[in-house]
Amino acid sequence: MVRVRGGESFRSLENEGNTASPYFEGTLGYVSSNHSLNWTTGYGFESPTATGVTTTKTWRTGLNLTYDLTSRLSSTTGVYYHHDENQGATGSTGTQDSLDLLVGLRYTINKRLALHVNYNYTSQSSLGATPGYSRNRYSAGLSYTY
């Protein structure tokens, strides 16, 4: 499977004027009888998340592997990278990078009920006065499909 979208993004800011940037988004996927592998990537404008930033150009990319270990047990592994180029009214305000790693298991109890357990690690670099961070998240739960 291949999906591609692209074009031009335009932004008009009241005190900053107009800017244009290319926009691209794509997915490349492979599916077999017991696993699937997907790569997604994108580039374009996104909403700023830091103080003093008026424009953020973002590149995102990630790989996700789902593998059926048995007829009821499946695993998911993913790695995602995110890079922001930030600009403010006075010029460049810096770049920021983040990395996400994901590992998960899903056990199908019956056709409507499934148990899942996930681990997620996130690391984000600092941007100006905003410090970077890293965190570990664990989750577990039941899913019911009707």
Side-chain angles (χ1 to χ4, degrees), residues 72-86:
R72 292 182 178 255
L73 184 63
S74 65
S75 66
T76 301
T77 305
V79 60
Y80 304 94
Y81 173 73
H82 173 173
H83 175 78
D84 286 337
E85 295 177 10
N86 299 291

Side-chain angles (χ1 to χ4, degrees), residues 24 31 34 50 54 71-72 107 119-120 125 128 146:
F24 168 79
V31 178
N34 68 340
T54 56
S71 62
R72 292 182 178 255
Y107 179 75
Y119 167 73
N120 181 249
S125 66
Y146 58 95

